[in-house]
Amino acid sequence: MLEPAKRYTGYTAYEYLERGKDYRDITYAKQIGRVPPYQGLELSDAQLERTKRLLTDEVVISLHEHVQVFPDDMSDLREHIRQGREPTGYEGLSRSGMTAVFDNGMDGTCCISSDAGWKYQDVLFDLGVRMADLAHQDFVVKGETVKDIHDAHATGRVAHIFGLEAATMIENEVDRLDVLYGFGVRQMGIAYSEANTLGSGLKERGDGGLTYFGERAVERMNKLGIAIDVSHSGDRTAMDVIEKSTKPIFITHCGSREVWPTNRMKPDAVIKACAERGGVLGLEAAPHTTLSHAHPRHSLESVMDHFVHCVDLVGIEHVTFGPDTLFGDHVGLHDAFSANLSIGQAHSGVEFPKVEYVDGLENPAECFYNIIGWLVSHDYSDDEIRAVVGGNTLRVLEEVWV
């Protein structure tokens, strides 16, 4: 793992406020060293130096993360969420090597005013509070343009890009997309696992595809410059979005259903359609998602089985990584919010061993060191690694963003 970025000065989330007075005093999980470091990479000295060079010198972008820190004791989870003050993991980000990160706020579990999540006022509260904290330090900066990403790389900072996993909170109000854009949202999913006014999610018994309102929303996102994601959308809805969007889209955090046959994965036909229109797939690593028959115990190796398959399917220029990690007990979060996150419907149909964490891809601080190390150890070229850890995403953003 890298040393802390030189621009990072030790800032912790909301330190301009008084703990226990302005917000509840909760003990949060360790951002560094919560689990043992990954032992699966065997790198020579030359490979180790190459890994560190690529992680330091290249533009590295995670297409999907949750960079918040969760309570150390997950019994505090509901209280933590109710106060609506998610802490950004600045220390962990300083060790990550990332240039930019798409941070998809926990809006399916953003249960400030409602246990169902996805409420418009809660999402705006979450965005506003997170931005207030970002404004009190200058290591993690708000990313809204491609220039912001390049500036972050040039100055040793991290560009933080707000995303949302679904557009559920806009209800039937297309102009809310403009408001969310104004708050800094630059990437948005169509539907999470449950259907909404735009289209169907992956858990539904039937997928009716993109609605007429969904078509309006896609058109507005194209005009605004919001990158579109279909990771949690149903297959037909995803195909409709690919067809209707005038810009390339993302599948920000997923894998191949041919490698692991669950609804949470996308069929190769959808992945190919996305690539044919210029889009990019980000490989997922949240617990118990991107498993493989070769590696059914979820680890970096399981995820890279999907990577190899997808590169063979659509070419290396259409694949990147959206590990979907966080700081804290991700499995515990899934257990606590299995209904909100539709865990049962998304992952049913196959047996697999439950893990406490995904070895090698447990949190945002370690992901890209291990990903690049794996790519180096498997003899991918510098140009290939440069493409899959950031270049492919930049290519799409240059076309999609204003």
Side-chain angles (χ1 to χ4, degrees), residues 70-287:
F70 281 76
D72 186 52
D73 182 350
M74 291 300 274
S75 67
D76 291 330
L77 183 58
R78 291 284 178 176
E79 182 181 358
H80 154 75
I81 289 170
R82 289 288 185 208
Q83 71 172 332
R85 197 170 293 278
E86 305 252 21
T88 299
Y90 296 101
E91 179 190 11
L93 286 174
S94 77
R95 304 287 189 96
S96 70
M98 289 190 289
T99 309
V101 56
F102 282 79
D103 180 9
N104 281 251
M106 301 297 296
D107 296 302
T109 60
C110 186
C111 301
I112 300 169
S113 67
S114 163
D115 282 340
W118 301 112
K119 299 298 180 286
Y120 183 59
Q121 69 270 22
D122 289 357
V123 170
L124 293 182
F125 187 96
D126 181 34
L127 289 168
V129 169
R130 296 284 304 287
M131 282 188 280
D133 185 48
L134 288 177
H136 283 81
Q137 51 77 60
D138 71 350
F139 168 60
V140 177
V141 296
K142 191 177 176 187
E144 298 178 323
T145 66
V146 172
K147 182 179 182 297
D148 292 336
I149 295 174
H150 288 300
D151 286 349
H153 187 239
T155 60
R157 293 178 167 94
V158 176
H160 177 284
I161 303 157
F162 282 105
L164 299 170
E165 294 208 51
T168 304
M169 77 294 297
I170 74 168
E171 298 176 316
N172 63 343
E173 302 281 354
V174 74
D175 289 342
R176 287 183 178 180
L177 290 168
D178 301 60
V179 177
L180 292 165
Y181 182 88
F183 267 73
V185 173
R186 291 296 181 271
Q187 176 261 307
M188 186 179 294
I190 294 298
Y192 198 70
S193 294
E194 293 181 341
N196 59 23
T197 56
L198 286 77
S200 288
L202 58 84
K203 87 169 192 180
E204 302 295 350
R205 296 185 185 92
D207 182 352
L210 195 66
T211 65
Y212 287 121
F213 177 75
E215 291 181 12
R216 288 182 61 207
V218 166
E219 181 182 21
R220 182 64 62 85
M221 288 186 220
N222 287 160
K223 289 177 177 177
L224 283 167
I226 296 176
I228 299 174
D229 173 36
V230 294
S231 297
H232 283 274
S233 299
D235 297 342
R236 180 182 170 188
T237 296
M239 290 293 258
D240 287 351
V241 172
I242 293 166
E243 179 186 351
K244 293 295 181 182
S245 177
T246 59
K247 303 290 179 66
I249 70 146
F250 288 125
I251 306 172
T252 65
H253 58 301
C254 201
S256 168
R257 199 174 296 168
E258 273 60 45
V259 177
W260 192 247
T262 65
N263 285 345
R264 182 60 187 83
M265 303 293 97
K266 286 285 181 281
D268 281 1
V270 171
I271 297 171
K272 288 175 69 175
C274 172
E276 286 167 359
R277 297 293 298 272
V280 169
L281 165 74
L283 273 304
E284 162 79 86

Side-chain angles (χ1 to χ4, degrees), residues 1-8 51-52 54-68 88-104 139-141 148-161 320-327 361 363-372 389-390:
M1 189 180 293
L2 291 182
E3 294 298 314
K6 291 181 180 178
R7 291 301 300 246
Y8 176 59
T51 297
K52 290 182 177 180
L54 287 164
L55 185 58
T56 302
D57 292 352
E58 302 302 333
V59 173
V60 176
I61 304 173
S62 174
L63 198 51
H64 187 97
E65 298 290 4
H66 302 277
V67 299
Q68 303 94 314
T88 299
Y90 296 101
E91 179 190 11
L93 286 174
S94 77
R95 304 287 189 96
S96 70
M98 289 190 289
T99 309
V101 56
F102 282 79
D103 180 9
N104 281 251
F139 168 60
V140 177
V141 296
D148 292 336
I149 295 174
H150 288 300
D151 286 349
H153 187 239
T155 60
R157 293 178 167 94
V158 176
H160 177 284
I161 303 157
T320 188
F321 295 90
D324 191 13
T325 63
L326 49 81
F327 296 108
L361 295 167
N363 67 78
E366 73 168 4
C367 286
F368 279 92
Y369 175 86
N370 290 332
I371 288 168
I372 293 175
V389 300

Side-chain angles (χ1 to χ4, degrees), residues 1-2 30-43 48 95 299-300 357-363 365-367 369-371:
M1 189 180 293
L2 291 182
K30 292 169 62 177
Q31 297 171 46
I32 306 295
R34 193 186 80 87
V35 301
Y38 184 58
Q39 301 298 320
L41 293 176
E42 295 183 2
L43 301 177
L48 181 61
R95 304 287 189 96
S299 69
L300 173 64
Y357 60 92
V358 180
D359 198 13
L361 295 167
E362 195 271 340
N363 67 78
E366 73 168 4
C367 286
Y369 175 86
N370 290 332
I371 288 168

